[in-house]
Amino acid sequence: MHPSVAPTITEIPVADQGAGPYGITAGPDRSLWLTFAHNGRIARLSLDGELEEYALDSAGCRPLVITPGPDGALWFTRSQDHRIGRITTDGEATSFDVPTPGSGPFGITAGPDDAVWFTQMNTDRIGRITSEGEITEFVLPGEGGYPSGITSGPDGALWFTLNQANAIGRITTDGDTVLHPLPTPSAAPVGITSDGDALWFVEIAAGAVGRISVDGTIKEFPLPDSTSKPHAIVAASPGDCWFTEWGANRVGRVTASGEIAEYDLPSPSSEPHGIALGPDGALWVALETGGVARVAP
């Protein structure tokens, strides 16, 4: 699809406004899995629109980002009670306490090593958790960096955003870390994804999308609206990424050449957060006001 060809966007209500759909991912069961940040629930949405909700053991645990794990379950961060959650496709949930107190886990991704990796916003650490729940923590250089998004890179390492240190980090599975400062000051990177060739990220404060190659070369693409607050990003294919604009009620698309297209969401002020590539080839977006948007190229 050429970026100028508008996709078809449909909205599916999944919760009331108090639930706060936030994170979304495609599960191994060909369904979409969502976090409801405000009422402590995980939801499963089938492609035909059937919704199942699973209440967690704490309504106030604030589940945020969710990812499929290497074990066939879904793993998610609980930022309010500082735990890592796991839920099977049958809806059985467990959770594991992060050793460092007050860690504020946020981003989470399956690693290349049969483990799950996550960021700790409040304590400048990257965590690794095995399928059995054993957690290892790696301390990052500097203080107050606010590690946020994390993804597996094409080079066998993990790549993450440092929202307040204004950098992109790379950590090997052994814990060796390198930080790459961003050219734009105070850009505040959040979401990050790999397209199989390079890493793409969004700068929520600068209103831009960035690309970093595995050798650390960074290129930034400013969005037409610098106040659009891009939040999450996902790759559909190499050189084809989609992102949410939380502050502008849009989804955007960026190509390898830096061409940007933006599309308005149907409901005003729907607060788009997480975005995922669905098993049907469409993009799926979690809307904090209670819906899911399906964006079909």
Side-chain angles (χ1 to χ4, degrees):
M1 184 187 89
H2 190 271
S4 62
V5 181
T8 303
I9 302 178
T10 49
E11 213 170 282
I12 303 158
V14 293
D16 61 35
Q17 193 158 351
Y22 189 92
I24 189 167
T25 197
D29 57 349
R30 287 187 59 80
S31 295
L32 283 308
W33 287 78
L34 292 133
T35 59
F36 287 178
H38 300 323
N39 67 5
R41 290 169 178 260
I42 303 295
R44 176 187 179 271
L45 178 67
S46 68
L47 291 177
D48 57 12
E50 188 180 334
L51 185 79
E52 290 178 75
E53 288 184 44
Y54 305 101
L56 301 174
D57 54 8
S58 162
C61 66
R62 195 184 287 265
L64 289 180
V65 183
I66 187 166
T67 189
D71 57 348
L74 288 303
W75 291 76
F76 54 95
T77 50
R78 296 170 40 149
S79 70
Q80 196 66 38
D81 63 356
H82 316 293
R83 299 179 76 85
I84 302 300
R86 177 186 185 270
I87 189 166
T88 66
T89 52
D90 296 332
E92 288 180 38
T94 50
S95 68
F96 306 93
D97 195 30
V98 178
T100 300
S103 59
F106 179 76
I108 193 166
T109 190
D113 56 349
D114 283 336
V116 171
W117 291 70
F118 59 95
T119 60
Q120 300 180 28
M121 291 185 293
N122 302 341
T123 50
D124 297 299
R125 286 166 163 79
I126 301 291
R128 175 188 186 269
I129 184 167
T130 66
S131 296
E132 293 76 39
E134 291 174 27
I135 293 177
T136 310
E137 297 176 288
F138 301 95
V139 180
L140 298 174
E143 289 184 11
Y146 217 69
S148 300
I150 189 168
T151 193
S152 279
D155 57 348
L158 289 303
W159 291 74
F160 56 94
T161 55
L162 284 162
N163 179 263
Q164 292 301 299
N166 208 52
I168 305 299
R170 176 187 185 269
I171 187 169
T172 67
T173 52
D174 294 329
D176 295 329
T177 306
V178 178
L179 303 186
H180 302 280
L182 295 179
T184 302
S186 306
V190 184
I192 189 168
T193 189
S194 167
D195 69 356
D197 293 332
L199 291 305
W200 292 80
F201 56 92
V202 285
E203 300 175 351
I204 196 168
V209 177
R211 179 187 186 273
I212 182 168
S213 58
V214 291
D215 67 3
T217 304
I218 296 173
K219 187 158 189 196
E220 293 171 307
F221 306 101
L223 300 177
D225 175 5
S226 63
T227 65
S228 59
K229 293 191 169 74
H231 177 80
I233 188 166
V234 69
S237 62
D240 182 15
C241 294
W242 291 75
F243 53 93
T244 54
E245 295 183 28
W246 174 57
N249 203 52
R250 285 191 292 254
V251 291
R253 184 183 190 213
V254 61
T255 65
S257 61
E259 189 176 358
I260 288 167
E262 298 172 310
Y263 309 102
D264 292 327
L265 292 169
S267 293
S269 304
S270 58
E271 296 192 48
H273 283 298
I275 187 168
L277 181 65
D280 56 349
L283 287 307
W284 292 76
V285 182
L287 309 174
E288 196 172 346
T289 51
V292 171
R294 180 181 183 269
V295 182

